[in-house]
PDB file of all heavy atoms in Angstrom:
ATOM      1  N   VAL V   4      48.802  75.262 -37.174  1.00 82.00           N
ATOM      2  CA  VAL V   4      48.624  75.680 -35.782  1.00 82.00           C
ATOM      3  C   VAL V   4      49.562  76.846 -35.509  1.00 82.00           C
ATOM      4  O   VAL V   4      50.600  76.995 -36.174  1.00 82.00           O
ATOM      5  CB  VAL V   4      48.920  74.525 -34.797  1.00 82.00           C
ATOM      6  CG1 VAL V   4      47.866  73.427 -34.907  1.00 82.00           C
ATOM      7  CG2 VAL V   4      50.311  73.956 -35.040  1.00 82.00           C
ATOM      8  N   PRO V   5      49.247  77.675 -34.521  1.00 85.00           N
ATOM      9  CA  PRO V   5      50.069  78.861 -34.246  1.00 85.00           C
ATOM     10  C   PRO V   5      51.238  78.603 -33.311  1.00 85.00           C
ATOM     11  O   PRO V   5      51.800  79.539 -32.759  1.00 85.00           O
ATOM     12  CB  PRO V   5      49.054  79.811 -33.598  1.00 85.00           C
ATOM     13  CG  PRO V   5      48.116  78.911 -32.869  1.00 85.00           C
ATOM     14  CD  PRO V   5      47.997  77.676 -33.724  1.00 85.00           C
ATOM     15  N   TRP V   6      51.609  77.340 -33.127  1.00 86.00           N
ATOM     16  CA  TRP V   6      52.656  77.022 -32.166  1.00 86.00           C
ATOM     17  C   TRP V   6      53.902  76.497 -32.876  1.00 86.00           C
ATOM     18  O   TRP V   6      53.818  75.816 -33.903  1.00 86.00           O
ATOM     19  CB  TRP V   6      52.158  75.972 -31.165  1.00 86.00           C
ATOM     20  CG  TRP V   6      50.938  76.423 -30.418  1.00 86.00           C
ATOM     21  CD1 TRP V   6      50.856  77.413 -29.493  1.00 86.00           C
ATOM     22  CD2 TRP V   6      49.615  75.906 -30.578  1.00 86.00           C
ATOM     23  NE1 TRP V   6      49.573  77.542 -29.038  1.00 86.00           N
ATOM     24  CE2 TRP V   6      48.775  76.636 -29.678  1.00 86.00           C
ATOM     25  CE3 TRP V   6      49.037  74.908 -31.365  1.00 86.00           C
ATOM     26  CZ2 TRP V   6      47.414  76.395 -29.563  1.00 86.00           C
ATOM     27  CZ3 TRP V   6      47.685  74.660 -31.251  1.00 86.00           C
ATOM     28  CH2 TRP V   6      46.881  75.399 -30.369  1.00 86.00           C
ATOM     29  N   THR V   7      55.051  76.752 -32.297  1.00 86.00           N
ATOM     30  CA  THR V   7      56.309  76.268 -32.865  1.00 86.00           C
ATOM     31  C   THR V   7      56.532  74.804 -32.497  1.00 86.00           C
ATOM     32  O   THR V   7      55.898  74.260 -31.583  1.00 86.00           O
ATOM     33  CB  THR V   7      57.493  77.090 -32.329  1.00 86.00           C
ATOM     34  OG1 THR V   7      57.605  76.865 -30.912  1.00 86.00           O
ATOM     35  CG2 THR V   7      57.295  78.577 -32.588  1.00 86.00           C
ATOM     36  N   GLU V   8      57.460  74.188 -33.230  1.00 88.00           N
ATOM     37  CA  GLU V   8      57.807  72.799 -32.906  1.00 88.00           C
ATOM     38  C   GLU V   8      58.330  72.693 -31.472  1.00 88.00           C
ATOM     39  O   GLU V   8      58.044  71.714 -30.774  1.00 88.00           O
ATOM     40  CB  GLU V   8      58.873  72.277 -33.882  1.00 88.00           C
ATOM     41  CG  GLU V   8      58.367  72.018 -35.292  1.00 88.00           C
ATOM     42  CD  GLU V   8      58.506  73.244 -36.180  1.00 88.00           C
ATOM     43  OE1 GLU V   8      58.708  74.354 -35.628  1.00 88.00           O
ATOM     44  OE2 GLU V   8      58.413  73.094 -37.410  1.00 88.00           O
ATOM     45  N   ARG V   9      59.086  73.696 -31.030  1.00 87.00           N
ATOM     46  CA  ARG V   9      59.627  73.664 -29.670  1.00 87.00           C
ATOM     47  C   ARG V   9      58.508  73.718 -28.633  1.00 87.00           C
ATOM     48  O   ARG V   9      58.534  72.980 -27.655  1.00 87.00           O
ATOM     49  CB  ARG V   9      60.595  74.838 -29.467  1.00 87.00           C
ATOM     50  CG  ARG V   9      61.198  74.902 -28.070  1.00 87.00           C
ATOM     51  CD  ARG V   9      62.274  75.982 -27.979  1.00 87.00           C
ATOM     52  NE  ARG V   9      62.722  76.168 -26.614  1.00 87.00           N
ATOM     53  CZ  ARG V   9      63.613  75.385 -26.006  1.00 87.00           C
ATOM     54  NH1 ARG V   9      64.139  74.374 -26.661  1.00 87.00           N
ATOM     55  NH2 ARG V   9      63.983  75.617 -24.765  1.00 87.00           N
ATOM     56  N   PHE V  10      57.536  74.588 -28.851  1.00 90.00           N
ATOM     57  CA  PHE V  10      56.416  74.679 -27.912  1.00 90.00           C
ATOM     58  C   PHE V  10      55.671  73.346 -27.847  1.00 90.00           C
ATOM     59  O   PHE V  10      55.329  72.857 -26.759  1.00 90.00           O
ATOM     60  CB  PHE V  10      55.456  75.790 -28.344  1.00 90.00           C
ATOM     61  CG  PHE V  10      54.233  75.898 -27.476  1.00 90.00           C
ATOM     62  CD1 PHE V  10      54.239  76.702 -26.343  1.00 90.00           C
ATOM     63  CD2 PHE V  10      53.077  75.180 -27.769  1.00 90.00           C
ATOM     64  CE1 PHE V  10      53.115  76.796 -25.527  1.00 90.00           C
ATOM     65  CE2 PHE V  10      51.952  75.260 -26.961  1.00 90.00           C
ATOM     66  CZ  PHE V  10      51.970  76.070 -25.839  1.00 90.00           C
ATOM     67  N   LEU V  11      55.404  72.744 -29.000  1.00 92.00           N
ATOM     68  CA  LEU V  11      54.685  71.471 -29.038  1.00 92.00           C
ATOM     69  C   LEU V  11      55.474  70.362 -28.341  1.00 92.00           C
ATOM     70  O   LEU V  11      54.915  69.551 -27.598  1.00 92.00           O
ATOM     71  CB  LEU V  11      54.408  71.082 -30.489  1.00 92.00           C
ATOM     72  CG  LEU V  11      53.387  71.965 -31.229  1.00 92.00           C
ATOM     73  CD1 LEU V  11      53.466  71.739 -32.726  1.00 92.00           C
ATOM     74  CD2 LEU V  11      51.979  71.673 -30.715  1.00 92.00           C
ATOM     75  N   SER V  12      56.779  70.337 -28.592  1.00 92.00           N
ATOM     76  CA  SER V  12      57.616  69.321 -27.957  1.00 92.00           C
ATOM     77  C   SER V  12      57.593  69.460 -26.440  1.00 92.00           C
ATOM     78  O   SER V  12      57.476  68.468 -25.715  1.00 92.00           O
ATOM     79  CB  SER V  12      59.054  69.451 -28.474  1.00 92.00           C
ATOM     80  OG  SER V  12      59.922  68.575 -27.785  1.00 92.00           O
ATOM     81  N   GLN V  13      57.692  70.699 -25.948  1.00 90.00           N
ATOM     82  CA  GLN V  13      57.659  70.919 -24.500  1.00 90.00           C
ATOM     83  C   GLN V  13      56.295  70.573 -23.910  1.00 90.00           C
ATOM     84  O   GLN V  13      56.204  70.010 -22.819  1.00 90.00           O
ATOM     85  CB  GLN V  13      58.021  72.375 -24.194  1.00 90.00           C
ATOM     86  CG  GLN V  13      59.478  72.720 -24.462  1.00 90.00           C
ATOM     87  CD  GLN V  13      59.760  74.200 -24.304  1.00 90.00           C
ATOM     88  OE1 GLN V  13      58.873  75.029 -24.454  1.00 90.00           O
ATOM     89  NE2 GLN V  13      61.011  74.526 -24.001  1.00 90.00           N
ATOM     90  N   GLU V  14      55.232  70.922 -24.621  1.00 93.00           N
ATOM     91  CA  GLU V  14      53.881  70.610 -24.127  1.00 93.00           C
ATOM     92  C   GLU V  14      53.689  69.097 -24.016  1.00 93.00           C
ATOM     93  O   GLU V  14      53.148  68.597 -23.027  1.00 93.00           O
ATOM     94  CB  GLU V  14      52.840  71.207 -25.076  1.00 93.00           C
ATOM     95  CG  GLU V  14      51.399  71.058 -24.610  1.00 93.00           C
ATOM     96  CD  GLU V  14      51.027  72.040 -23.517  1.00 93.00           C
ATOM     97  OE1 GLU V  14      51.841  72.939 -23.200  1.00 93.00           O
ATOM     98  OE2 GLU V  14      49.915  71.904 -22.969  1.00 93.00           O
ATOM     99  N   TYR V  15      54.141  68.380 -25.023  1.00 95.00           N
ATOM    100  CA  TYR V  15      53.996  66.922 -25.026  1.00 95.00           C
ATOM    101  C   TYR V  15      54.843  66.284 -23.927  1.00 95.00           C
ATOM    102  O   TYR V  15      54.372  65.414 -23.184  1.00 95.00           O
ATOM    103  CB  TYR V  15      54.410  66.382 -26.396  1.00 95.00           C
ATOM    104  CG  TYR V  15      54.175  64.900 -26.584  1.00 95.00           C
ATOM    105  CD1 TYR V  15      52.919  64.339 -26.394  1.00 95.00           C
ATOM    106  CD2 TYR V  15      55.216  64.069 -26.965  1.00 95.00           C
ATOM    107  CE1 TYR V  15      52.700  62.978 -26.587  1.00 95.00           C
ATOM    108  CE2 TYR V  15      55.019  62.707 -27.165  1.00 95.00           C
ATOM    109  CZ  TYR V  15      53.760  62.171 -26.965  1.00 95.00           C
ATOM    110  OH  TYR V  15      53.549  60.820 -27.139  1.00 95.00           O
ATOM    111  N   ARG V  16      56.082  66.759 -23.814  1.00 93.00           N
ATOM    112  CA  ARG V  16      56.990  66.162 -22.825  1.00 93.00           C
ATOM    113  C   ARG V  16      56.637  66.560 -21.410  1.00 93.00           C
ATOM    114  O   ARG V  16      56.615  65.717 -20.501  1.00 93.00           O
ATOM    115  CB  ARG V  16      58.434  66.594 -23.138  1.00 93.00           C
ATOM    116  CG  ARG V  16      59.491  65.978 -22.250  1.00 93.00           C
ATOM    117  CD  ARG V  16      60.884  66.470 -22.647  1.00 93.00           C
ATOM    118  NE  ARG V  16      61.915  65.755 -21.915  1.00 93.00           N
ATOM    119  CZ  ARG V  16      62.358  66.095 -20.714  1.00 93.00           C
ATOM    120  NH1 ARG V  16      61.834  67.158 -20.091  1.00 93.00           N
ATOM    121  NH2 ARG V  16      63.303  65.394 -20.113  1.00 93.00           N
ATOM    122  N   ASN V  17      56.365  67.860 -21.179  1.00 91.00           N
ATOM    123  CA  ASN V  17      56.230  68.376 -19.817  1.00 91.00           C
ATOM    124  C   ASN V  17      54.810  68.338 -19.276  1.00 91.00           C
ATOM    125  O   ASN V  17      54.609  68.601 -18.085  1.00 91.00           O
ATOM    126  CB  ASN V  17      56.763  69.812 -19.748  1.00 91.00           C
ATOM    127  CG  ASN V  17      58.245  69.889 -20.035  1.00 91.00           C
ATOM    128  OD1 ASN V  17      58.960  68.896 -19.934  1.00 91.00           O
ATOM    129  ND2 ASN V  17      58.719  71.058 -20.425  1.00 91.00           N
ATOM    130  N   VAL V  18      53.845  68.039 -20.118  1.00 94.00           N
ATOM    131  CA  VAL V  18      52.463  67.933 -19.642  1.00 94.00           C
ATOM    132  C   VAL V  18      51.916  66.531 -19.893  1.00 94.00           C
ATOM    133  O   VAL V  18      51.564  65.806 -18.963  1.00 94.00           O
ATOM    134  CB  VAL V  18      51.551  68.994 -20.306  1.00 94.00           C
ATOM    135  CG1 VAL V  18      50.101  68.832 -19.818  1.00 94.00           C
ATOM    136  CG2 VAL V  18      52.056  70.396 -20.003  1.00 94.00           C
ATOM    137  N   VAL V  19      51.844  66.132 -21.166  1.00 95.00           N
ATOM    138  CA  VAL V  19      51.213  64.853 -21.509  1.00 95.00           C
ATOM    139  C   VAL V  19      52.005  63.665 -20.966  1.00 95.00           C
ATOM    140  O   VAL V  19      51.486  62.830 -20.221  1.00 95.00           O
ATOM    141  CB  VAL V  19      51.034  64.741 -23.039  1.00 95.00           C
ATOM    142  CG1 VAL V  19      50.475  63.364 -23.410  1.00 95.00           C
ATOM    143  CG2 VAL V  19      50.105  65.835 -23.540  1.00 95.00           C
ATOM    144  N   LEU V  20      53.295  63.585 -21.329  1.00 95.00           N
ATOM    145  CA  LEU V  20      54.101  62.457 -20.852  1.00 95.00           C
ATOM    146  C   LEU V  20      54.433  62.592 -19.370  1.00 95.00           C
ATOM    147  O   LEU V  20      54.543  61.584 -18.662  1.00 95.00           O
ATOM    148  CB  LEU V  20      55.384  62.348 -21.674  1.00 95.00           C
ATOM    149  CG  LEU V  20      55.203  61.964 -23.146  1.00 95.00           C
ATOM    150  CD1 LEU V  20      56.544  61.942 -23.864  1.00 95.00           C
ATOM    151  CD2 LEU V  20      54.506  60.607 -23.272  1.00 95.00           C
ATOM    152  N   ALA V  21      54.607  63.828 -18.891  1.00 93.00           N
ATOM    153  CA  ALA V  21      54.919  64.018 -17.471  1.00 93.00           C
ATOM    154  C   ALA V  21      53.797  63.506 -16.590  1.00 93.00           C
ATOM    155  O   ALA V  21      54.035  62.928 -15.524  1.00 93.00           O
ATOM    156  CB  ALA V  21      55.187  65.495 -17.191  1.00 93.00           C
ATOM    157  N   GLN V  22      52.550  63.706 -17.011  1.00 93.00           N
ATOM    158  CA  GLN V  22      51.401  63.273 -16.206  1.00 93.00           C
ATOM    159  C   GLN V  22      50.837  61.929 -16.660  1.00 93.00           C
ATOM    160  O   GLN V  22      49.884  61.428 -16.065  1.00 93.00           O
ATOM    161  CB  GLN V  22      50.308  64.344 -16.246  1.00 93.00           C
ATOM    162  CG  GLN V  22      50.762  65.682 -15.666  1.00 93.00           C
ATOM    163  CD  GLN V  22      49.653  66.710 -15.625  1.00 93.00           C
ATOM    164  OE1 GLN V  22      48.502  66.393 -15.308  1.00 93.00           O
ATOM    165  NE2 GLN V  22      49.990  67.955 -15.941  1.00 93.00           N
ATOM    166  N   GLY V  23      51.400  61.365 -17.725  1.00 93.00           N
ATOM    167  CA  GLY V  23      50.920  60.070 -18.205  1.00 93.00           C
ATOM    168  C   GLY V  23      49.509  60.136 -18.742  1.00 93.00           C
ATOM    169  O   GLY V  23      48.719  59.195 -18.559  1.00 93.00           O
ATOM    170  N   LEU V  24      49.173  61.221 -19.435  1.00 95.00           N
ATOM    171  CA  LEU V  24      47.816  61.405 -19.949  1.00 95.00           C
ATOM    172  C   LEU V  24      47.576  60.467 -21.132  1.00 95.00           C
ATOM    173  O   LEU V  24      48.442  60.290 -21.989  1.00 95.00           O
ATOM    174  CB  LEU V  24      47.613  62.856 -20.376  1.00 95.00           C
ATOM    175  CG  LEU V  24      47.905  63.914 -19.287  1.00 95.00           C
ATOM    176  CD1 LEU V  24      47.689  65.313 -19.842  1.00 95.00           C
ATOM    177  CD2 LEU V  24      47.038  63.681 -18.061  1.00 95.00           C
ATOM    178  N   ARG V  25      46.373  59.892 -21.200  1.00 94.00           N
ATOM    179  CA  ARG V  25      46.067  58.898 -22.225  1.00 94.00           C
ATOM    180  C   ARG V  25      44.979  59.353 -23.200  1.00 94.00           C
ATOM    181  O   ARG V  25      44.914  58.861 -24.323  1.00 94.00           O
ATOM    182  CB  ARG V  25      45.603  57.586 -21.574  1.00 94.00           C
ATOM    183  CG  ARG V  25      46.602  57.004 -20.587  1.00 94.00           C
ATOM    184  CD  ARG V  25      47.750  56.325 -21.307  1.00 94.00           C
ATOM    185  NE  ARG V  25      48.718  55.786 -20.363  1.00 94.00           N
ATOM    186  CZ  ARG V  25      49.880  56.359 -20.078  1.00 94.00           C
ATOM    187  NH1 ARG V  25      50.219  57.488 -20.684  1.00 94.00           N
ATOM    188  NH2 ARG V  25      50.714  55.826 -19.216  1.00 94.00           N
ATOM    189  N   THR V  26      44.102  60.246 -22.798  1.00 95.00           N
ATOM    190  CA  THR V  26      42.947  60.610 -23.620  1.00 95.00           C
ATOM    191  C   THR V  26      42.833  62.126 -23.739  1.00 95.00           C
ATOM    192  O   THR V  26      43.357  62.864 -22.901  1.00 95.00           O
ATOM    193  CB  THR V  26      41.642  60.076 -22.993  1.00 95.00           C
ATOM    194  OG1 THR V  26      41.403  60.772 -21.753  1.00 95.00           O
ATOM    195  CG2 THR V  26      41.735  58.572 -22.741  1.00 95.00           C
ATOM    196  N   PRO V  27      42.126  62.600 -24.767  1.00 95.00           N
ATOM    197  CA  PRO V  27      41.924  64.055 -24.884  1.00 95.00           C
ATOM    198  C   PRO V  27      41.142  64.613 -23.705  1.00 95.00           C
ATOM    199  O   PRO V  27      41.344  65.773 -23.330  1.00 95.00           O
ATOM    200  CB  PRO V  27      41.159  64.201 -26.209  1.00 95.00           C
ATOM    201  CG  PRO V  27      40.594  62.854 -26.505  1.00 95.00           C
ATOM    202  CD  PRO V  27      41.547  61.871 -25.915  1.00 95.00           C
ATOM    203  N   GLU V  28      40.269  63.808 -23.104  1.00 95.00           N
ATOM    204  CA  GLU V  28      39.510  64.270 -21.946  1.00 95.00           C
ATOM    205  C   GLU V  28      40.434  64.537 -20.759  1.00 95.00           C
ATOM    206  O   GLU V  28      40.264  65.531 -20.035  1.00 95.00           O
ATOM    207  CB  GLU V  28      38.437  63.249 -21.571  1.00 95.00           C
ATOM    208  CG  GLU V  28      37.296  63.112 -22.567  1.00 95.00           C
ATOM    209  CD  GLU V  28      37.702  62.333 -23.811  1.00 95.00           C
ATOM    210  OE1 GLU V  28      38.690  61.561 -23.743  1.00 95.00           O
ATOM    211  OE2 GLU V  28      37.042  62.510 -24.853  1.00 95.00           O
ATOM    212  N   GLU V  29      41.406  63.652 -20.559  1.00 96.00           N
ATOM    213  CA  GLU V  29      42.366  63.864 -19.470  1.00 96.00           C
ATOM    214  C   GLU V  29      43.182  65.139 -19.714  1.00 96.00           C
ATOM    215  O   GLU V  29      43.463  65.898 -18.778  1.00 96.00           O
ATOM    216  CB  GLU V  29      43.302  62.657 -19.356  1.00 96.00           C
ATOM    217  CG  GLU V  29      42.642  61.407 -18.803  1.00 96.00           C
ATOM    218  CD  GLU V  29      43.600  60.224 -18.751  1.00 96.00           C
ATOM    219  OE1 GLU V  29      44.592  60.221 -19.521  1.00 96.00           O
ATOM    220  OE2 GLU V  29      43.359  59.309 -17.943  1.00 96.00           O
ATOM    221  N   TYR V  30      43.547  65.372 -20.966  1.00 95.00           N
ATOM    222  CA  TYR V  30      44.323  66.573 -21.288  1.00 95.00           C
ATOM    223  C   TYR V  30      43.494  67.839 -21.079  1.00 95.00           C
ATOM    224  O   TYR V  30      44.005  68.853 -20.594  1.00 95.00           O
ATOM    225  CB  TYR V  30      44.822  66.484 -22.729  1.00 95.00           C
ATOM    226  CG  TYR V  30      45.650  67.672 -23.168  1.00 95.00           C
ATOM    227  CD1 TYR V  30      46.801  68.034 -22.483  1.00 95.00           C
ATOM    228  CD2 TYR V  30      45.266  68.439 -24.269  1.00 95.00           C
ATOM    229  CE1 TYR V  30      47.563  69.127 -22.883  1.00 95.00           C
ATOM    230  CE2 TYR V  30      46.024  69.531 -24.685  1.00 95.00           C
ATOM    231  CZ  TYR V  30      47.163  69.875 -23.978  1.00 95.00           C
ATOM    232  OH  TYR V  30      47.915  70.957 -24.379  1.00 95.00           O
ATOM    233  N   LEU V  31      42.201  67.789 -21.390  1.00 94.00           N
ATOM    234  CA  LEU V  31      41.334  68.950 -21.200  1.00 94.00           C
ATOM    235  C   LEU V  31      41.195  69.312 -19.727  1.00 94.00           C
ATOM    236  O   LEU V  31      41.063  70.476 -19.370  1.00 94.00           O
ATOM    237  CB  LEU V  31      39.949  68.677 -21.803  1.00 94.00           C
ATOM    238  CG  LEU V  31      39.850  68.709 -23.332  1.00 94.00           C
ATOM    239  CD1 LEU V  31      38.480  68.242 -23.787  1.00 94.00           C
ATOM    240  CD2 LEU V  31      40.136  70.107 -23.858  1.00 94.00           C
ATOM    241  N   ARG V  32      41.230  68.287 -18.855  1.00 93.00           N
ATOM    242  CA  ARG V  32      41.012  68.521 -17.428  1.00 93.00           C
ATOM    243  C   ARG V  32      42.296  68.809 -16.662  1.00 93.00           C
ATOM    244  O   ARG V  32      42.244  69.281 -15.526  1.00 93.00           O
ATOM    245  CB  ARG V  32      40.326  67.298 -16.789  1.00 93.00           C
ATOM    246  CG  ARG V  32      38.920  67.024 -17.273  1.00 93.00           C
ATOM    247  CD  ARG V  32      38.247  66.010 -16.347  1.00 93.00           C
ATOM    248  NE  ARG V  32      38.996  64.769 -16.264  1.00 93.00           N
ATOM    249  CZ  ARG V  32      38.779  63.708 -17.038  1.00 93.00           C
ATOM    250  NH1 ARG V  32      37.829  63.752 -17.966  1.00 93.00           N
ATOM    251  NH2 ARG V  32      39.496  62.614 -16.898  1.00 93.00           N
ATOM    252  N   CYS V  33      43.461  68.519 -17.232  1.00 94.00           N
ATOM    253  CA  CYS V  33      44.709  68.533 -16.451  1.00 94.00           C
ATOM    254  C   CYS V  33      45.148  69.953 -16.114  1.00 94.00           C
ATOM    255  O   CYS V  33      44.814  70.918 -16.808  1.00 94.00           O
ATOM    256  CB  CYS V  33      45.821  67.813 -17.206  1.00 94.00           C
ATOM    257  SG  CYS V  33      46.579  68.782 -18.533  1.00 94.00           S
ATOM    258  N   ALA V  34      45.915  70.066 -15.041  1.00 91.00           N
ATOM    259  CA  ALA V  34      46.582  71.320 -14.694  1.00 91.00           C
ATOM    260  C   ALA V  34      47.951  71.321 -15.365  1.00 91.00           C
ATOM    261  O   ALA V  34      48.750  70.407 -15.157  1.00 91.00           O
ATOM    262  CB  ALA V  34      46.736  71.433 -13.180  1.00 91.00           C
ATOM    263  N   ARG V  35      48.216  72.308 -16.176  1.00 90.00           N
ATOM    264  CA  ARG V  35      49.468  72.364 -16.951  1.00 90.00           C
ATOM    265  C   ARG V  35      50.571  72.998 -16.113  1.00 90.00           C
ATOM    266  O   ARG V  35      51.065  74.080 -16.406  1.00 90.00           O
ATOM    267  CB  ARG V  35      49.246  73.114 -18.255  1.00 90.00           C
ATOM    268  CG  ARG V  35      48.235  72.465 -19.171  1.00 90.00           C
ATOM    269  CD  ARG V  35      47.805  73.353 -20.332  1.00 90.00           C
ATOM    270  NE  ARG V  35      48.908  73.737 -21.185  1.00 90.00           N
ATOM    271  CZ  ARG V  35      49.391  74.979 -21.260  1.00 90.00           C
ATOM    272  NH1 ARG V  35      48.884  75.937 -20.479  1.00 90.00           N
ATOM    273  NH2 ARG V  35      50.399  75.267 -22.074  1.00 90.00           N
ATOM    274  N   ARG V  36      50.982  72.296 -15.050  1.00 84.00           N
ATOM    275  CA  ARG V  36      52.007  72.833 -14.148  1.00 84.00           C
ATOM    276  C   ARG V  36      53.314  73.085 -14.902  1.00 84.00           C
ATOM    277  O   ARG V  36      53.756  72.265 -15.695  1.00 84.00           O
ATOM    278  CB  ARG V  36      52.259  71.860 -12.994  1.00 84.00           C
ATOM    279  CG  ARG V  36      51.127  71.793 -11.987  1.00 84.00           C
ATOM    280  CD  ARG V  36      51.559  70.991 -10.759  1.00 84.00           C
ATOM    281  NE  ARG V  36      51.826  69.608 -11.091  1.00 84.00           N
ATOM    282  CZ  ARG V  36      50.898  68.640 -11.069  1.00 84.00           C
ATOM    283  NH1 ARG V  36      49.652  68.938 -10.756  1.00 84.00           N
ATOM    284  NH2 ARG V  36      51.213  67.414 -11.364  1.00 84.00           N
ATOM    285  N   GLY V  37      53.914  74.248 -14.606  1.00 81.00           N
ATOM    286  CA  GLY V  37      55.176  74.595 -15.235  1.00 81.00           C
ATOM    287  C   GLY V  37      55.051  75.254 -16.592  1.00 81.00           C
ATOM    288  O   GLY V  37      56.057  75.616 -17.203  1.00 81.00           O
ATOM    289  N   ARG V  38      53.841  75.430 -17.088  1.00 87.00           N
ATOM    290  CA  ARG V  38      53.628  76.078 -18.379  1.00 87.00           C
ATOM    291  C   ARG V  38      52.999  77.446 -18.143  1.00 87.00           C
ATOM    292  O   ARG V  38      52.009  77.565 -17.411  1.00 87.00           O
ATOM    293  CB  ARG V  38      52.712  75.234 -19.268  1.00 87.00           C
ATOM    294  CG  ARG V  38      53.206  73.813 -19.477  1.00 87.00           C
ATOM    295  CD  ARG V  38      54.439  73.771 -20.341  1.00 87.00           C
ATOM    296  NE  ARG V  38      54.111  73.926 -21.752  1.00 87.00           N
ATOM    297  CZ  ARG V  38      54.983  74.285 -22.680  1.00 87.00           C
ATOM    298  NH1 ARG V  38      56.237  74.568 -22.332  1.00 87.00           N
ATOM    299  NH2 ARG V  38      54.621  74.386 -23.938  1.00 87.00           N
TER     300      ARG V  38
END
């Protein structure tokens, strides 16, 4: 993938875990606030 470990860690922490996303569908629809 073209992303660094830091970018992935921030995406997971600040989007997925921040919003409590559970499925790929939820991630596709979410607003990535702060990114």
Side-chain angles (χ1 to χ4, degrees):
V4 292
W6 302 291
T7 65
E8 288 90 344
R9 179 173 172 81
F10 177 89
L11 291 165
S12 174
Q13 290 173 334
E14 185 77 7
Y15 186 56
R16 184 180 187 274
N17 296 340
V18 178
V19 176
L20 293 178
Q22 299 184 40
L24 305 179
R25 303 283 179 258
T26 67
E28 291 76 22
E29 289 178 337
Y30 181 58
L31 286 172
R32 294 193 302 267
C33 78
R35 298 168 60 250
R36 288 190 295 271
R38 304 290 282 161

